[in-house]
Amino acid sequence: MTALQRNEDGIGAALGILKQQFGERFSAGAAIREQHAHTTTWIANQPPDGVVFAQSTQEVSDVVKICAAHKVPIIPFGTGTSLEGHVNAPAGGISIDVSQMADVLEVNAGDLDCRVQPGVTRMALNTHLRDQGLFFPIDPGADASIGGMTATRASGTNAVRYGTMKDNVLSVEAVMANGEIIRTASRARKSSAGYDLTRLMVGSEGTLGIITEVSLRLQGIPEAISAASCSFPTIEAACEAVMAVIQYGLPVARIELLDALVVKAVNSYSKLTLPETPLLLLEFHGSDAGVAEQAETFGALAEDFGGNGYAATTSLEERNKLWQARHDAYWAMLALRPGCKAVATDVCVPISKLAEAVGSANEKALEMGLIAPIVGHAGDGNFHASLLVDMEDRDEVARAEQFVSWLNDRAIALGGTCTGEHGIGQGKRPYLRKELGGAVDVMGAIKHALDPDGIMNPGKILP
């Protein structure tokens, strides 16, 4: 990735002040700095000049004020699981690690909401909530931090029923570029009071401010859960079954698509015996009678599209085995080609275009001589191609880059988006204007108004 111009004098001054103020919770060691830059997929690692491990909102504010005074870039860091270079420091600067801000501050069971610090991970939150019969439904696969999930507008396997982060964040507390601390909304479920600053911060990827608290909607743990799997003769048939489910209004909680290559990988890695053809994995939430009826209805719909081997279960052990295999698909795919890197990219299209988009992606990968297994959160038209690339083969790397570019353009042409959930970061910046046109200039005006010196996560989102 391109490096941006560095403010050497300002960075040097800020490093000295931060070292004196934070002592052992400040590090300029090479290993720590590299760990706080991009370490996933193929975007080059661009480390910050120093890392501060903050423990409170006030400390984040203090660091931002120091950096603002010296015009030094600031890069927020949660768990580092983002895929598009969000945590890189192309102009150097200071990484603010919020992983030690990991307290669940408040749970309001009667109102189905909670307030957490940004370093709380989704698994830790759900462990905390379990005894109260509640859960937080957004599941991006990785055990990401709530702050990072909010900043990247994450979603995942449950989005078809429960929505994405933008639908589940009630308000945030954030430190702005001048160090000011703001709260974007109250706990009320609806408001007409002014601009929707919460939605502005959700998905801003650290370019407008640093999120230091998040208030979230919660859900009651369902009375009954049923998981199901069904194989299909072709990708197109599986996608058409998904479209039928959505158009029928069947209230699925999850509906995941695995192409034949992913099923082969999952069978080998997770010791399953699924038919090695395109597969749908589903989950139904509700009452005992409700999930049984939903599972039966899906079975009937699937038959119309050549579905076979349909099986449903309410067994916790069987459900966990199935979904653990889905979550392990990334590692399973890596095992298909040992020594290669998995380059994960995602796009999202309208449901009616899903079969066309996935089918053409498979054909394009084959045409270009690439191995690109596909998994998808099919219920909302979002799918991921994970190219298995030999990074020492420059020609193969170039072909992979061409495929990713083609896929982004293809999704946009079909009325979709270049990213359904990974975010823009550095990797998707070239496609934002293609997708949104002049709206990008409006984003730039907002960015300049809130961050006139451009210190908040520079080099991300805006071209």
Side-chain angles (χ1 to χ4, degrees), residues 121-369:
T121 65
R122 66 171 186 87
M123 290 178 66
L125 176 58
N126 278 325
T127 298
H128 183 92
L129 295 170
R130 187 169 53 210
D131 291 344
Q132 300 184 58
L134 302 172
F135 81 113
F136 181 64
I138 308 303
D139 175 10
D143 189 21
S145 66
I146 297 298
M149 289 168 62
T150 303
T152 55
R153 203 184 313 161
S155 56
T157 59
N158 283 321
V160 63
R161 175 163 180 148
Y162 298 105
T164 72
M165 287 301 286
K166 72 179 176 62
D167 305 300
N168 289 277
V169 174
L170 293 169
S171 71
V172 303
E173 177 188 82
V175 176
M176 307 308 286
N178 61 358
E180 181 184 0
I181 302 167
I182 68 164
R183 188 173 296 277
T184 59
S186 70
R187 285 178 50 228
R189 286 302 176 107
K190 59 192 279 190
S191 173
S192 297
Y195 297 155
D196 191 346
L197 296 182
T198 304
R199 289 289 184 91
L200 182 63
M201 295 303 295
V202 175
S204 61
E205 301 183 10
T207 62
L208 301 179
I210 299 178
I211 294 167
T212 53
E213 280 186 19
V214 188
S215 294
L216 300 166
R217 294 176 184 267
L218 302 176
Q219 302 288 332
I221 295 174
E223 174 189 331
I225 298 175
S226 174
S229 63
C230 189
S231 299
F232 292 83
T234 65
I235 278 285
E236 287 76 15
C239 291
E240 287 166 2
V242 172
M243 289 188 284
V245 166
I246 301 304
Q247 291 163 0
Y248 187 84
L250 192 65
V252 290
R254 309 191 207 189
I255 181 165
E256 295 288 291
L257 170 69
L258 286 68
D259 75 4
L261 193 55
V262 177
V263 177
K264 178 181 178 180
V266 164
N267 274 345
S268 176
Y269 188 86
S270 299
K271 306 297 186 289
L272 301 180
T273 56
L274 296 164
E276 293 182 358
T277 61
L279 180 79
L280 291 181
L281 296 179
L282 303 96
E283 192 166 271
F284 307 99
H285 294 178
S287 66
D288 288 326
V291 298
E293 181 181 358
Q294 292 162 26
E296 183 180 347
T297 301
F298 173 76
L301 284 173
E303 281 185 14
D304 293 340
F305 300 95
N308 61 83
Y310 175 63
T313 179
T314 56
S315 161
L316 177 61
E317 182 180 354
E318 290 299 315
R319 286 192 287 110
N320 286 346
K321 184 177 180 181
L322 207 56
W323 286 108
Q324 188 60 51
R326 166 62 185 91
H327 283 316
D328 288 342
Y330 173 82
W331 306 108
M333 288 184 282
L334 278 178
L336 287 173
R337 198 178 179 197
C340 289
K341 192 101 171 177
V343 179
T345 189
D346 88 305
V347 295
C348 189
V349 297
I351 290 291
S352 62
K353 301 293 184 182
L354 182 62
E356 181 180 352
V358 174
S360 62
N362 268 329
E363 291 170 6
K364 188 69 173 179
L366 190 63
E367 173 192 319
M368 298 182 72

Side-chain angles (χ1 to χ4, degrees), residues 74-76 86 151 175-177 200-201 203-211 424-425 429 443 446-448 450-452 454-462:
I74 301 160
I75 307 93
H86 296 85
V175 176
M176 307 308 286
L200 182 63
M201 295 303 295
S204 61
E205 301 183 10
T207 62
L208 301 179
I210 299 178
I211 294 167
I424 294 293
R429 288 169 72 205
M443 293 182 191
I446 294 170
K447 165 72 170 173
H448 182 71
L450 297 180
D451 180 22
I455 64 171
M456 303 303 288
N457 213 8
K460 318 298 163 58
I461 300 185
L462 297 173

